[in-house]
Amino acid sequence: MTQSNSASGNGAAASRGLWSSRLAFILAATGSAVGLGNIWKFPYVTGENGGGAFVLVYLFCIAVIGIPIMMAEVFLGRNGRHNPITSMRLVAERNLKSPVWRISAIVGMIAAFVILSFYSVIGGWAASYVGHAATGDFTGGTAESIGDLFGGLLASPVQLLIWHSLFMALVVMVVSRGLKGGLERVATILMPALFILLLVAVGYATTTGHFGEAVSFLFTPDFGALSINSVLIALGHAFFTLSLGMAIMMAYGSYLGRDVSIARTAVSVALMDTVVALLAGLAIFPVVFANGLEAGAGPGLIFQTLPLAFGNMPMGSLFGTLFFVLLLFAAWTSGISLLEPVVEWVEEKTGLERSGSAVMVGVLCWALGITSILSLNIWSDVTPLGMFARFEGKTIFDLLDYFTANVMLPLSGLLTAVFVGWFVAKESLKTDLALDGGAFQLWFNLIRFVTPIAVSIVFVYNLMS
Ligand code: PHE
């Protein structure tokens, strides 16, 4: 590790450990970024929003808003060298600003905890679908039989609980082993594996005879199909897919060596995340088109449309299994990153061992997840905020999703951008980011003006609509 001549904020570094290399950080951060958002959500929102034009807007949002915020978060973590909340307080104090700014990390960490509670439930679906695919449950399936399979899973609290518990256990197991033995090790094995599986899946998609159709769907911009709403969705998704606004990149940045370029690293992570999303599209749409299925099928695309296709094509069981293993790996590394910030905080605040902190936070989060499970069946009529028109019919699961995605993430991201752009000394940013003049000025303008304005627009729009 080349961790010697460190400047400010590196005091605790020696004892808390650092990523062993820039690549280790990139793989772990990419593991966080690449998740259900890339493989499940990106293809279906692209399908619903007309394809190519949406992809272009999305790429623009990643570059202009996603990357600058990611840099700001990694900067805060590395400069503070503690859990996200303490890091933000320290950076604020060093800049003679109010420690109240740490609210941004607090909101982000609560969001991470809540999101993990239901992310684990969905991760559990992926795990259960590995089993279904492998045992040939999709074979010869009809829309009805595949629909029943999914419906049956959601209707069974016991099945859901088993898979949710398994997924959470996988996450806790890794986080409890710490940075090098846990997070880093899993990322360096799973991310290359995920890339290979994805390439195999794309290779398979080229044999369906509908690859060209998928390419033109994804890359031929039809601006007529693009609405204001699509633009906002693209921006929101850019945020979610890069795991921003959840204190994750702060936590991961807190273990980053000072000799590593934050800008280059953030660009690499964003690039890999985007490549995975596009490859997932190239793996999924040819299969969808080959079977005459609906590209804009919505959230059911992965759990209903695709299994139908897998069940009716040559070697479908094999490739179906492979596909859901891929999804499970992607969800697993993201789950790990959701647990890490909170565990880092508990560990530093209570002096508990890492493994004890991980188990404690994991159990609490698992318990909260049960409310999402019950929302899908026994409590499907329980709508705690149903008296307000806008929340009518929303279950607890829906509400947790709504408040984290539409309120907490943008709020945390907005505060982070404003704090870093307006309240941290420019000199300190220059030193830490080590960018040359023009590049620095570009980033600085983006984080000061463009990002806060764009995030505010989405924020207000989502609250109003
Ligand atoms: N970035 C992940 C994805 O695209 C989602 C995620 C959100 C992961 C929050 C971790 C935290 O699926």
Side-chain angles (χ1 to χ4, degrees):
M1 201 185 324
T2 48
Q3 213 23 70
S4 43
N5 53 357
S6 48
S8 65
N10 226 3
S15 58
R16 63 208 305 281
L18 295 170
W19 303 106
S20 21
S21 62
R22 177 174 115 93
L23 183 65
F25 172 83
I26 291 180
L27 289 175
T30 305
S32 171
V34 171
L36 298 168
N38 302 63
I39 297 173
W40 168 62
K41 198 164 178 199
F42 175 78
Y44 91 72
V45 290
T46 302
E48 286 176 339
N49 291 280
F54 177 82
V55 173
L56 272 186
V57 176
Y58 163 78
L59 293 179
F60 181 78
C61 294
I62 293 274
V64 168
I65 291 148
I67 294 176
I69 296 198
M70 188 185 291
M71 289 170 62
E73 290 198 12
V74 175
F75 157 80
L76 287 171
R78 189 172 75 175
N79 196 282
R81 277 280 182 252
H82 283 80
N83 71 77
I85 298 177
T86 309
S87 285
M88 279 201 84
R89 177 172 59 76
L90 290 173
V91 175
E93 283 170 5
R94 277 175 206 146
N95 288 280
L96 308 176
K97 295 294 178 313
S98 163
V100 166
W101 280 106
R102 73 188 184 287
I103 188 94
S104 157
I106 297 175
V107 171
M109 272 173 48
I110 296 174
F113 180 82
V114 173
I115 290 174
L116 179 58
S117 77
F118 61 78
Y119 203 82
S120 168
V121 175
I122 304 176
W125 301 353
S128 93
Y129 268 54
V130 172
H132 284 311
T135 55
D137 288 350
F138 304 147
T139 312
T142 59
E144 205 188 350
S145 71
I146 302 273
D148 286 348
L149 197 69
F150 191 52
L153 174 65
L154 299 198
S156 162
V158 175
Q159 276 192 55
L160 288 172
L161 186 65
I162 292 173
W163 293 111
H164 164 56
S165 309
L166 178 88
F167 186 87
M168 191 65 88
L170 284 174
V171 168
V172 169
M173 196 178 78
V174 176
V175 175
S176 68
R177 296 192 178 174
L179 190 69
K180 291 226 171 73
L183 278 67
E184 190 171 313
R185 204 158 102 213
V186 167
T188 44
I189 298 169
L190 290 193
M191 293 321 288
L194 186 137
F195 259 103
I196 293 168
L197 290 178
L198 196 52
L199 289 177
V200 174
V202 173
Y204 177 70
T206 61
T207 67
T208 58
H210 289 71
F211 196 72
E213 218 176 308
V215 171
S216 68
F217 177 70
L218 280 171
F219 298 107
T220 314
D222 167 13
F223 285 98
L226 203 67
S227 60
I228 297 275
N229 199 28
S230 313
V231 175
L232 297 175
I233 292 177
L235 182 55
H237 186 63
F239 223 78
F240 182 80
T241 194
L242 293 180
S243 303
L244 302 175
M246 280 160 267
I248 291 175
M249 294 299 160
M250 294 185 205
Y252 279 23
S254 74
Y255 306 115
L256 186 64
R258 289 202 63 88
D259 49 346
V260 175
S261 156
I262 290 180
R264 278 178 46 205
T265 312
V267 170
S268 310
V269 173
L271 210 63
M272 301 238 275
D273 183 72
T274 306
V275 167
V276 170
L278 294 174
L279 286 177
L282 290 177
I284 291 168
F285 287 119
V287 175
V288 170
F289 294 141
N291 288 272
L293 301 168
E294 188 48 58
L301 188 64
I302 289 261
F303 291 105
Q304 285 176 290
T305 309
L306 273 191
L308 185 60
F310 287 132
N312 293 284
M313 44 201 331
M315 297 200 292
S317 289
L318 177 66
F319 283 95
T321 310
L322 181 148
F323 181 81
F324 285 104
V325 168
L326 182 95
L327 188 66
L328 178 62
F329 282 3
W332 189 11
T333 48
S334 294
I336 291 167
S337 74
L338 284 165
L339 188 60
E340 175 60 30
V342 189
V343 169
E344 188 185 22
W345 177 72
V346 170
E347 203 184 2
E348 289 180 10
K349 280 289 164 190
T350 63
L352 271 178
E353 290 283 302
R354 162 148 292 247
S355 52
S357 317
V359 171
M360 190 181 93
V361 180
V363 167
L364 292 174
C365 197
W366 171 84
L368 180 60
I370 294 175
T371 63
S372 290
I373 289 182
L374 295 175
S375 300
L376 295 166
N377 35 69
I378 300 173
W379 288 357
S380 60
D381 292 333
V382 178
T383 54
L385 299 181
M387 59 283 212
F388 303 105
R390 98 176 349 252
F391 298 121
E392 217 178 295
K394 284 203 188 302
T395 62
I396 297 178
F397 188 167
D398 296 334
L399 291 173
L400 295 177
D401 179 26
Y402 179 88
F403 280 107
T404 48
N406 296 324
V407 181
M408 302 178 82
L409 304 190
L411 187 64
S412 170
L414 178 63
L415 290 172
T416 299
V418 171
F419 175 62
V420 171
W422 295 89
F423 294 88
V424 172
K426 201 169 170 185
E427 281 319 304
S428 141
L429 293 171
K430 273 196 166 145
T431 317
D432 273 32
L433 293 180
L435 286 173
D436 58 32
F440 178 81
Q441 204 51 46
L442 173 64
W443 171 80
F444 197 53
N445 288 333
L446 288 174
I447 202 80
R448 286 195 118 183
F449 304 107
V450 179
T451 304
I453 292 172
V455 177
S456 305
I457 292 174
V458 177
F459 191 28
V460 171
Y461 181 88
N462 281 340
L463 288 185
M464 315 262 290
S465 60

